[in-house]
Amino acid sequence: MDYFDIFISILGSAIRLSIPLLFTALAGLFSERAGIFDIGLEGKMLASAFASACVAYYTGNAWAGLGAGILTAIVFSMVHGFASITNRGNQIVSGVALNFVAAGLTIVLGQAWFNQGGRTGQVPPEGRFSGIVLPGADMMRDVPIIGPLYANVISGNNILTYIAFLMVPVSWWVLYRTRFGLRLRAVGENPGAVDTAGISVSWLRYRALIVTGFLAGFAGTYLAIAQSAAFINNMSAGKGYIALAALIFAKWKPVPVMFACLLFGFLDAFANFMQGKSLPLIGEVPVQIFQALPYILTCVLLAGFIGIARPPKAGGVPYAKER
Amino acid sequence: MSLDSPKEPAIELVGIDKKFGAVHANRNINLTVAKGSIHGIIGENGAGKSTLMSILYGFYHADQGEIRIFGKPVAIRDSQTAIASGIGMVHQHFMLVENFTVLENVMLGAEGGQLLRKGVATARKELKRLEDDYGLEVDPDAVIEELPVGSQQRVEILKALYRGAEILILDEPTGVLTPAEADHLFKVLRVLRDQGKTIILITHKLREIMAITDTVSVMRRGEMVATRRTAETTVEELAELMVGRRVLLRVEKGGANPGKVLLSVRNLTVKDSRGVTMVDDVSFDVRAGEIVGIAGVAGNGQSELLEAIAGIRKPASGEIFIDGQPAAGIDPAGLRDLGLAHIPEDRHHMGLVLKFEEYENSILGYHRDERYGRGAMLDLDAIRKDAEEKIAKYDIRPPNARLRTANFSGGNQQKIVVAREIERDPKMLIIGQPTRGVDIGAIEFIHKRIIEMRDAGKAVLLVSVELDEIRSLSDRILVMFAGKVVGEKSGEAGEQTLGLMMAGIAA
Ligand SMILES: Nc1ncnc2c1ncn2[C@@H]1O[C@H](COP(=O)(O)OP(=O)(O)OP(=O)(O)O)[C@@H](O)[C@H]1O
Ligand SMILES: [Mg+2]
């Protein structure tokens, strides 16, 4: 394999690894821009992965699986909303609690229903989202440089991958070109301004959380029935937190979120590639270094080295009418 | 309360009553305001003015009472219904999204459809029209946080007018404005009135009431105690109605008796966070037993000077001596040990933790004092007792040390800060805007305390944008313009002389 082929294959796997991050980070974007911190993204992803795997297993229908995944994540989102909007609870506590609920519930239910030590049954091929070969991929294959890029990186992904990238401009458009987006950004900065403009702060934030659930549902579904063919114990493996890091890294903006997720996906793919290989002069580099990079980069950013990351001003503060 | 008026009423409040727990903020309030007039509401701190207006705007709910707008009874459930009935409000603390543009803030809640594009075009046109009609100029594409307060306030007014407000409520609009900005505001208000809008103006400055209102009502301890036609009343009468006793509008003070130099500032230069020089090579002394006032239009470096002396901002160069000891670069705790007390300009950002209870704020910064605890432990009983003494002495209302500070009215919050700093009996006191948002009774009280401090041989440095305040308290006045001290006058200097110096015209 020459270097270009290696590069193409790392790039392909980088894209695959960044999709769940992208869905999840966009999900977090909507809730955090509305002023609700969501550390529970991890749990939403996990729960929706489990739900989609179960439903896809029993129905053999991938879209039914996706529906179940989305619904589950929205339910989790609403619980978060009830705790932190209606009852003005601490958003971090509520999020962490939901992560624990998701981690525990998926194991218990999975064991009860499938008896495979936390795994669900193998989802049949019809119940999965598999790669789509884009028109002309085979013809293009021999064109130098663009050919392999098109055939192996752009083509051959499953439909959710394309949806994920489509969601980037869609999110941008919703946030910056619609009434809902304007109000959502406003409520994350100064809920008092929204309230005195005669708009319900709670209802607005609930709607933001529904969008969050919707997008997080895609992420979980992708993990369970697009990237793999079953739910596996704790299969989200911290991706919810990395997505959160990507969101901060991208300063809460949709297009930078995409680049941050691609970067973090690339680091992940590179780590996989480096496993067991040794670099000239340096020798074998422990993969943990690459795995830690997203967090290190985020810390560096937060410390202010790459400009200031200003979170939505009202983030994390429950809204109460008072001066 | 009502005066017979030929004009139809725009607002009628009948029997409005509101309690916050034990606090009876509004008691059976009746008020009628004629269409096309400017109506002033005055009253002591905590009298219930903001509460009444918040009820009218649907931010709080009245426990009892009826509201009629243009003759029709309306149930104002929330701000939405208030806006729909033609009421707009400019809040005491602006309700603006700081990182949005003017246009976005104006549109928020009145976007004119699911998509923004069409609304943006109409909003732009409408803003232009409002600007032409009322002289409310602001750049629609400017970001709020980069605008001066005066412009931010114009955005609040624009927001209300854009929603079709016929009635405009302004809660202490001039507290944060420079004199020029306030003049501009009044010009706008007069134009609005002449075009048939109805305006309610809450303020502590009786001078403003006399200058601009047609009628005025006085509130005291939750009750509406009087309504007068402005032309038929006087400042003295209003002051007495407000406080329930005669008030000295100008404090009496004897001559100063300056002793040794306690504060000495030498060639001080201070830059702000963007690196712009705000204080430029300033030198002066303050002696024991004198009050030195720093006059100037807001934004000419007074704030930064104060912050540098208080140890909050590091000076770029120059020296500060407190009682002969070098003090530049020492942190605020160290400065307190040297005998410096500081009443910051902005009580919300620097003076208080609004989420804390009153007694906690009453020792903020002095919590290491052995009177309030031993080692790592606080002596809560001692702190509360101390807090209650201050509440009694400074007449802080409601007299409840366990109330969250956010729930005190603005003027009472200020008293909490003033009590804390003065009662420490410091060697020298630096004060920024001591009476911002404070009623005249309390102003009299705070001014007397400041003069007592002077007479007890303390050095006092006073910064205020209220020229009246500077003139009535100071023994010497330094005028700051563009970061420099452009001149020094005695306390008897005339308003005109100082005004010209503040504008940078004379020295
Ligand atoms: N949300 C609240 N909870 C409890 N008490 C409150 C609340 N809001 C106001 N109060 C109390 O109600 C009373 C009236 O307050 P209000 O803010 O209306 O006074 P004000 O006349 O506007 O005073 P100021 O001139 O200082 O602004 C005060 O005693 C205040 O402490
Ligand atoms: Mg008030």
Side-chain angles (χ1 to χ4, degrees):
Chain A
M1 268 216 300
D2 65 17
Y3 285 117
F4 186 66
D5 287 339
I6 295 175
F7 178 69
I8 289 287
S9 99
I10 294 182
L11 210 58
S13 104
I15 297 232
R16 284 189 289 283
L17 290 167
S18 63
I19 297 309
L21 297 181
L22 184 50
F23 274 125
T24 313
L26 288 175
L29 178 71
F30 278 89
S31 88
E32 303 223 333
R33 283 305 285 259
I36 306 284
F37 284 156
D38 199 352
I39 198 122
L41 290 169
E42 173 84 4
K44 287 194 195 63
M45 203 189 325
L46 195 64
S48 71
F50 179 74
S52 66
C54 291
V55 169
Y57 174 81
Y58 284 118
T59 62
N61 184 331
W63 294 100
L66 176 63
I70 289 176
L71 212 66
T72 308
I74 291 181
V75 168
F76 267 69
S77 238
M78 291 300 95
V79 175
H80 187 47
F82 184 67
S84 59
I85 303 171
T86 307
N87 291 318
R88 303 200 185 106
N90 184 304
Q91 297 168 5
I92 304 298
V93 172
S94 157
V96 170
L98 285 171
N99 284 343
F100 279 112
V101 169
L105 211 58
T106 50
I107 294 177
V108 171
L109 292 181
Q111 183 61 24
W113 293 342
F114 299 94
N115 244 324
Q116 297 183 21
R119 278 181 69 102
T120 59
Q122 187 77 13
V123 177
E126 326 80 74
R128 300 184 51 204
F129 289 103
S130 42
I132 306 169
V133 179
L134 293 185
D138 277 329
M139 259 161 48
M140 295 272 293
R141 201 172 289 273
D142 293 327
V143 181
I145 305 202
I146 322 175
L149 208 62
Y150 182 72
N152 298 332
V153 179
I154 300 187
S155 168
N157 294 302
N158 62 67
I159 180 93
L160 297 187
T161 306
Y162 299 111
I163 294 178
F165 283 104
L166 190 66
M167 283 302 169
V168 177
V170 170
S171 300
W172 178 87
W173 183 80
V174 169
L175 277 179
Y176 294 98
R177 287 289 178 267
T178 69
R179 176 171 82 185
F180 173 62
L182 181 79
R183 294 180 172 186
L184 186 143
R185 285 182 290 129
V187 83
E189 289 290 328
N190 184 355
V194 169
D195 198 1
T196 50
I199 306 162
S200 160
V201 171
S202 303
W203 173 224
L204 189 55
R205 287 186 161 170
Y206 268 111
R207 279 186 297 167
L209 287 190
I210 291 175
V211 179
T212 299
F214 177 77
L215 289 168
F218 274 93
T221 306
Y222 181 92
L223 285 182
I225 60 174
Q227 206 169 37
S228 14
F231 175 83
I232 304 156
N233 217 337
N234 189 28
M235 79 185 305
S236 53
K239 288 196 172 58
Y241 300 112
I242 299 203
L244 216 49
L247 183 60
I248 297 168
F249 198 72
K251 302 181 184 174
W252 293 270
K253 294 200 180 81
V255 176
V257 158
M258 178 181 79
F259 288 114
C261 290
L262 283 171
L263 172 67
F264 289 0
F266 183 82
L267 290 173
D268 202 3
F270 194 66
N272 289 343
F273 170 75
M274 288 307 293
Q275 204 137 22
K277 294 198 178 63
S278 62
L279 284 176
L281 300 178
I282 307 168
E284 194 170 322
V285 182
V287 286
Q288 283 81 356
I289 290 195
F290 297 102
Q291 284 163 352
L293 263 179
Y295 297 110
I296 294 171
L297 283 177
T298 306
C299 287
V300 168
L301 175 81
L302 282 179
F305 291 116
I306 320 178
I308 306 156
R310 197 182 95 159
K313 217 187 239 160
V317 190
Y319 179 62
K321 277 189 193 204
E322 69 176 24
R323 295 159 303 170
Chain B
M1 293 286 137
S2 78
L3 301 164
D4 295 327
S5 168
K7 289 190 206 154
E8 60 166 311
I11 305 163
E12 291 162 273
L13 301 179
V14 187
I16 299 288
D17 213 273
K18 173 79 188 171
K19 279 185 187 158
F20 291 106
V23 180
H24 207 154
N26 285 163
R27 293 169 205 257
N28 190 26
I29 302 271
N30 296 307
L31 175 71
T32 306
V33 179
K35 182 170 181 302
S37 69
I38 300 181
H39 185 89
I41 296 185
I42 54 176
E44 288 178 288
N45 296 127
K49 307 178 294 293
S50 297
T51 304
L52 187 65
M53 292 304 114
S54 298
I55 289 171
L56 187 54
Y57 191 64
F59 204 65
Y60 292 139
H61 291 257
D63 301 335
Q64 269 171 44
E66 190 181 78
I67 300 174
R68 283 185 233 137
I69 305 295
F70 298 115
K72 272 197 297 268
V74 284
I76 297 184
R77 273 169 280 116
D78 48 26
S79 304
Q80 185 98 58
T81 40
I83 294 168
S85 339
I87 302 172
M89 178 150 178
V90 175
H91 293 264
Q92 203 165 352
H93 303 123
F94 300 154
M95 295 292 183
L96 296 171
V97 182
E98 296 201 331
N99 61 353
F100 274 25
T101 63
V102 170
L103 200 66
E104 287 173 316
N105 268 289
V106 169
M107 284 176 67
L108 186 67
E111 297 87 348
Q114 289 288 343
L115 299 186
L116 294 180
R117 178 127 55 105
K118 229 180 65 216
V120 169
T122 37
R124 213 176 264 286
K125 259 210 303 250
E126 181 67 7
L127 278 184
K128 185 83 190 75
R129 188 185 71 76
L130 292 171
E131 176 179 332
D132 294 343
D133 284 4
Y134 305 115
L136 282 161
E137 66 266 353
V138 274
D139 171 11
D141 298 308
V143 177
I144 296 295
E145 57 198 353
E146 284 158 15
L147 289 177
V149 232
S151 308
Q152 292 190 7
Q153 188 175 62
R154 252 168 268 156
V155 178
E156 283 279 31
I157 297 176
L158 282 169
K159 256 169 73 177
L161 294 178
Y162 184 71
R163 288 164 172 71
E166 286 300 316
I167 297 166
L168 197 60
I169 305 167
L170 296 112
D171 194 348
E172 287 185 45
T174 56
V176 289
L177 299 187
T178 63
E181 284 173 328
D183 283 346
H184 188 130
L185 172 69
F186 289 154
K187 225 176 277 162
V188 170
L189 293 185
R190 283 197 193 97
V191 176
L192 286 169
R193 174 194 51 197
D194 295 343
Q195 306 221 358
K197 311 266 184 207
T198 309
I199 293 162
I200 295 188
L201 175 73
I202 298 179
T203 179
H204 287 295
K205 299 176 192 164
L206 295 176
R207 206 210 280 217
E208 294 176 351
I209 291 286
M210 301 309 287
I212 189 169
T213 63
D214 300 305
T215 46
V216 53
S217 296
V218 184
M219 288 186 76
R220 190 163 74 221
R221 304 200 178 202
E223 283 175 286
M224 197 59 95
V225 292
T227 295
R228 296 280 186 277
R229 249 184 269 282
T230 311
E232 294 164 7
T233 186
T234 60
V235 171
E236 287 74 22
E237 186 196 19
L238 291 177
E240 196 170 333
L241 283 168
M242 248 167 90
V243 187
R245 62 175 165 84
R246 291 201 54 114
V247 194
L248 287 175
L249 292 173
R250 206 188 149 106
V251 282
E252 285 157 9
K253 70 178 209 286
N257 197 358
K260 66 168 177 168
V261 173
L262 279 184
L263 173 72
S264 176
V265 172
R266 285 289 165 270
N267 306 99
L268 190 71
T269 297
V270 185
K271 295 190 164 137
D272 73 0
S273 43
R274 290 163 302 168
V276 180
T277 302
M278 295 305 287
V279 178
D280 191 0
D281 194 22
V282 164
S283 304
F284 62 89
D285 290 332
V286 183
R287 291 171 178 278
E290 71 168 350
I291 300 175
V292 174
I294 297 194
V297 176
N300 275 290
Q302 310 96 305
S303 307
E304 288 75 13
L305 174 66
L306 208 61
E307 286 174 14
I309 298 173
I312 297 166
R313 196 180 279 278
K314 277 226 155 50
S317 64
E319 283 164 303
I320 301 169
F321 298 94
I322 290 177
D323 204 2
Q325 302 201 45
I330 296 183
D331 67 7
L335 292 173
R336 277 196 191 100
D337 294 339
L338 287 178
L340 180 93
H342 173 211
I343 297 173
E345 286 189 304
D346 184 336
R347 53 181 172 259
H348 284 174
H349 286 139
M350 286 186 191
L352 297 164
V353 181
L354 289 176
K355 286 203 155 106
F356 279 14
E357 291 173 9
E358 196 277 341
Y359 78 93
E360 293 171 303
N361 271 307
S362 78
I363 59 154
L364 214 62
Y366 299 107
H367 49 278
R368 290 192 199 86
D369 193 293
E370 63 227 17
R371 277 198 292 163
Y372 302 135
R374 192 150 294 171
M377 308 303 271
L378 288 174
D379 181 352
L380 292 184
D381 288 336
I383 296 171
R384 283 190 202 132
K385 206 170 131 276
D386 187 79
E388 268 149 25
E389 277 163 19
K390 285 179 198 156
I391 286 176
K393 188 159 175 193
Y394 285 77
D395 190 22
I396 294 168
R397 287 183 225 163
N400 176 2
R402 300 300 308 270
L403 191 66
R404 270 185 17 145
T405 313
N407 291 336
F408 282 89
S409 72
N412 281 299
Q413 290 174 353
Q414 182 70 9
K415 288 197 227 166
I416 297 173
V417 180
V418 171
R420 177 181 74 210
E421 300 300 331
I422 289 188
E423 287 307 299
R424 291 297 311 187
D425 196 31
K427 266 194 262 181
M428 68 161 307
L429 184 62
I430 58 175
I431 315 173
Q433 319 297 348
T435 56
R436 177 175 278 175
V438 175
D439 70 53
I440 48 168
I443 290 179
E444 181 193 19
F445 181 82
I446 292 174
H447 283 181
K448 272 190 187 154
R449 299 291 306 155
I450 293 174
I451 289 173
E452 272 171 40
M453 292 287 285
R454 178 199 75 168
D455 293 343
K458 322 285 185 194
V460 180
L461 179 68
L462 169 74
V463 168
S464 174
V465 292
E466 300 291 338
L467 197 49
D468 283 346
E469 178 161 55
I470 294 274
R471 288 177 60 226
S472 68
L473 288 179
S474 310
D475 300 310
R476 284 191 294 135
I477 301 175
L478 304 175
V479 182
M480 270 187 94
F481 177 74
K484 286 188 184 292
V485 171
V486 292
E488 182 184 326
K489 292 274 174 235
S490 78
E492 279 81 50
E495 194 168 340
Q496 204 128 41
T497 331
L498 291 170
L500 286 174
M501 288 167 73
M502 284 162 66
I505 297 168

